[in-house]
Amino acid sequence: MEHNEIIDILQHTGCSCVIALGDSIRLCHRRGVVDLLEILRHEPDVLNEAFIADKVVGKGAAALMVLGQVREVYAEVISEPALNMLREAGIPVGYAQLVPSIINKSGSGPCPVEALCASCATAVQCLPLIENFVDRIISNNN
């Protein structure tokens, strides 16, 4: 599938992220980094060399993409820290809108994962922070 077809799926299906590897396509529907983290933990081959089209890419999502060794990323909205992390990893990035940082869903402040990862220099440093955050959210919702 062509990149523009993958981006079209992102824009017209209501999903949050499309992961394309060869002829295989995975649609993600949850907000934030939960789907990416679960795929990285349990099915890392899905990310390895994949093209990802995502609605919103903050530094946390970028870290997971770097760790998953994705080939290329397109983001509707991407933060400057995320763009820098992906570029430093040598991952080509296309985007519609570049913002200084990702804002939380209520619009009242920074995205919690973006804030957690702000002081991290590498994707490896971000991972345990993201894991702890997501695991807390999942356990609180059960």
Side-chain angles (χ1 to χ4, degrees):
M1 259 191 158
E2 299 288 323
H3 286 11
N4 59 345
E5 293 174 284
I6 305 301
I7 293 166
D8 193 55
I9 291 169
L10 175 73
Q11 294 170 337
H12 295 98
T13 61
C15 65
S16 59
C17 178
V18 181
I19 302 168
L21 183 61
D23 293 333
S24 173
I25 292 179
R26 173 84 56 101
L27 303 182
C28 301
H29 295 279
R30 292 184 279 186
R31 295 181 66 95
V33 296
V34 176
D35 287 326
L36 280 175
L37 179 60
E38 287 189 1
I39 292 168
L40 181 65
R41 281 177 164 170
H42 304 293
E43 303 173 272
D45 289 348
V46 171
L47 296 174
N48 190 19
E49 291 297 313
F51 171 70
I52 295 184
D54 202 324
K55 293 267 188 196
V56 178
V57 177
K59 190 172 181 180
L64 297 175
M65 292 173 187
V66 168
L67 293 170
Q69 299 178 321
V70 304
R71 177 177 39 85
E72 190 172 346
V73 175
Y74 169 80
E76 290 288 307
V77 177
I78 190 167
S79 71
E80 290 173 0
L83 181 61
N84 292 337
M85 179 168 279
L86 290 164
R87 283 185 172 163
E88 286 170 12
I91 298 171
V93 182
Y95 56 87
Q97 182 180 12
L98 178 64
V99 296
S101 65
I102 303 301
I103 303 301
N104 64 24
K105 61 184 170 188
S106 68
S108 62
C111 160
V113 175
E114 183 101 342
L116 270 178
C117 296
S119 65
C120 296
T122 67
V124 171
Q125 291 173 332
C126 294
L127 184 59
L129 302 176
I130 296 167
E131 288 178 321
N132 290 338
F133 178 81
V134 170
D135 290 346
R136 260 195 335 265
I137 287 174
I138 290 172
S139 67
N140 288 341
N141 289 335
N142 290 336

